[in-house]
Amino acid sequence: MKKNFIPEGVADINYEEYEKMSAIETSVLDVFRRAGYRQIMTPTFEYYDLFSDDDISVDTEDMYKIVDTNGKIMVLRPDATVPIARMAATHYKEGSGDMKLMYLTNVFRSADYRAGGKREFRQAGIEYFGTNSSEVDAGIILTAIDALQKSGFHDLTTEIGNADYFNGFLEALASECGIDDPETEAKLRSLTEAKNIPGLRAFCEEKGLPEKFTNVILEMPLLYGEISEITERAYEIAVNDKMRAAVDNIRSISENVGKSVSMTVDMGLISSLDYYSGMIFRLYLKDSGAIIGSGGRYDGLMKKFGKTLPAAGFGLNIDLLYEVSQNEPADEGVVNIALGKGRLADITVEKLKEAGIVFPDYTKESRKLIFTDSTGKYRIIFVKAVDVGIYVEKGACDVGIIGKDTLLESNSDVYEMLDLGYGKCIFAVAAPKGYKYNNRRKLRVASKYPRVAKEFFAKSGRSIEIIKINGSVELAPLVGLSDVIVDIVETGNTLRENGLEVVEPITDISARFIVNRASLKVKRDQVMELTKLMKEGTDK
Ligand code: PRP
């Protein structure tokens, strides 16, 4: 057998690719330089402690760790901004004016690799230290746009938000409802960030929040679109001055950016890197299903390094820019719907029909994988059910219909907009009838859903061995491969007919409507129309 000498998630770059990538880099850096930024470099590895802080929250699992000869844990640079902030805090001299730094560097993260992407990617960006003003914020956004346009990327959508809108809300939640534990805050943050409306509704019910707070939580993720209209509504529902100030800041930045730039707002925009404290922004290319650049203000991070120093910046993903430059332009008019072959297929096609979207060629028996509706506006792409998440995350499809079970397992980075209410079943631990847990030995768990199983048992601190199975999991405990299984149970027939029973339910499951992050912004009208039609179907 041929030996594979190249690790997964990294790649050699040949000279043709290198020349094209380097042309993009040169042009981007040239714009930064002309805007007054000076290039710096930080080490490839840093102390783990630099990133492990709660305020920074690069997921510890996403970092590549190295133990040095003294036993100290180091990491390969998982983020470009934090080391530069450290550097600025050390070298910045009071009274010496603003400091404008730029970089071109490699960043290493395992999250992308697990989602089928790269573990090492190139990033170019700028960091501005010294002044906090909407003029500076607008200047940073304009530099990002200029760098992209001068490098040949013209079809851009810029989106702005302000982290303090959400942070202000958290403060109100603490002072008025007494909710201030970090775990709850983190949960609310990730649900809001994913526009996970069903999850947010459940969160509000579980916490028994007053109506005023529930309304804001449910509306915030949906407040995106045209700046003057959205900021007006955002101001109306704001519950304290911090939230109102965040809205004012967005308005003022938008005025400074000017009308020539196509910019929208998203009040639910929250970076997963929670060091952002003021404006945040993202850049989308119409031809790509990904965010090609992002940035924001992070004055709070500087305090960690003992400096009160305003700071803001952004990074562009050079690998993505290169990929997009090589792609054929996407068919902009059509909304691609990813649908899993299997239990949700027929019912979804039926629901779409009820919503007036008809696929005349579709039959259960057909082996065709792509169907276009009678208006030519929508296209169903049939993929394996477990792959729906990745098709949507990577932008090959704009939206998808996926069971919550598969979504939980794939952990896809998408917006979870609707609970469609059908395809209901439960996740459960099941075992042969009469089975009792034996706490003295490690529990062997067979499952198609190793991530879900691991998380469930980890919560109660039980140590388990996972055996990943691809189907007919019920067999595993019957032939001694495992003690229990973690699987979905719909009618319960499969368990019954094989002499198994539910030991512990885990969670309820139903079909979800998911949306690609860029499509929601660049195909806004079409995606919103489909979301509305699907929602009307579920409300019936
Ligand atoms: C699922 C699940 C169970 C069964 C549960 O399998 O893994 O085996 O359905 O449904 P029930 O409670 O209505 O019997 P699926 O049909 O997807 O096939 P697979 O096991 O080959 O993946």
Side-chain angles (χ1 to χ4, degrees), residues 343 448 470-474 487-494:
R343 60 176 66 225
K448 284 190 283 189
N470 292 308
S472 306
V473 190
E474 294 79 7
D487 202 9
I488 54 168
V489 183
E490 192 175 357
T491 58
N493 287 341
T494 318

Side-chain angles (χ1 to χ4, degrees), residues 242-397:
K242 188 164 186 160
M243 291 178 84
R244 283 185 278 272
V247 178
D248 284 338
N249 171 261
I250 291 173
R251 285 172 172 159
S252 160
I253 293 171
S254 155
E255 270 166 32
N256 280 299
V257 164
K259 294 231 179 319
S260 61
V261 171
S262 124
M263 192 157 84
T264 59
V265 63
D266 184 349
M267 299 311 298
L269 191 62
I270 302 168
S271 175
S272 57
L273 299 174
D274 51 8
Y275 52 63
Y276 288 110
S277 50
M279 75 90 180
I280 31 185
F281 71 101
R282 282 180 183 166
L283 296 155
Y284 304 90
L285 278 178
K286 292 213 170 123
D287 285 347
S288 145
I291 298 158
I292 42 128
S294 60
R297 177 156 289 288
Y298 53 91
D299 300 0
L301 175 65
M302 300 309 290
K303 292 205 183 89
K304 178 184 157 68
F305 302 113
K307 271 260 155 65
T308 308
L309 181 64
F314 72 84
L316 298 176
N317 185 328
I318 298 288
D319 291 68
L320 265 180
L321 286 176
Y322 167 70
E323 278 167 31
V324 174
S325 72
Q326 301 304 299
N327 286 349
E328 295 291 321
D331 188 352
E332 260 185 51
V334 184
V335 174
N336 289 316
I337 307 169
L339 182 55
K341 290 180 245 164
R343 60 176 66 225
L344 296 177
D346 289 336
I347 179 160
T348 300
V349 174
E350 198 48 44
K351 294 273 179 194
L352 286 164
K353 193 172 162 190
E354 284 169 21
I357 303 169
V358 183
F359 294 87
D361 298 347
Y362 174 80
T363 59
K364 259 187 203 181
E365 297 74 29
S366 175
R367 301 285 296 163
K368 246 176 84 165
L369 298 173
I370 300 180
F371 294 91
T372 305
D373 86 314
S374 51
T375 64
K377 287 201 303 195
Y378 301 102
R379 195 155 47 195
I380 288 185
I381 318 283
F382 275 106
V383 300
K384 236 181 136 49
V386 290
D387 296 331
V388 170
I390 198 76
Y391 272 83
V392 177
E393 177 179 322
K394 296 286 175 197
C397 292

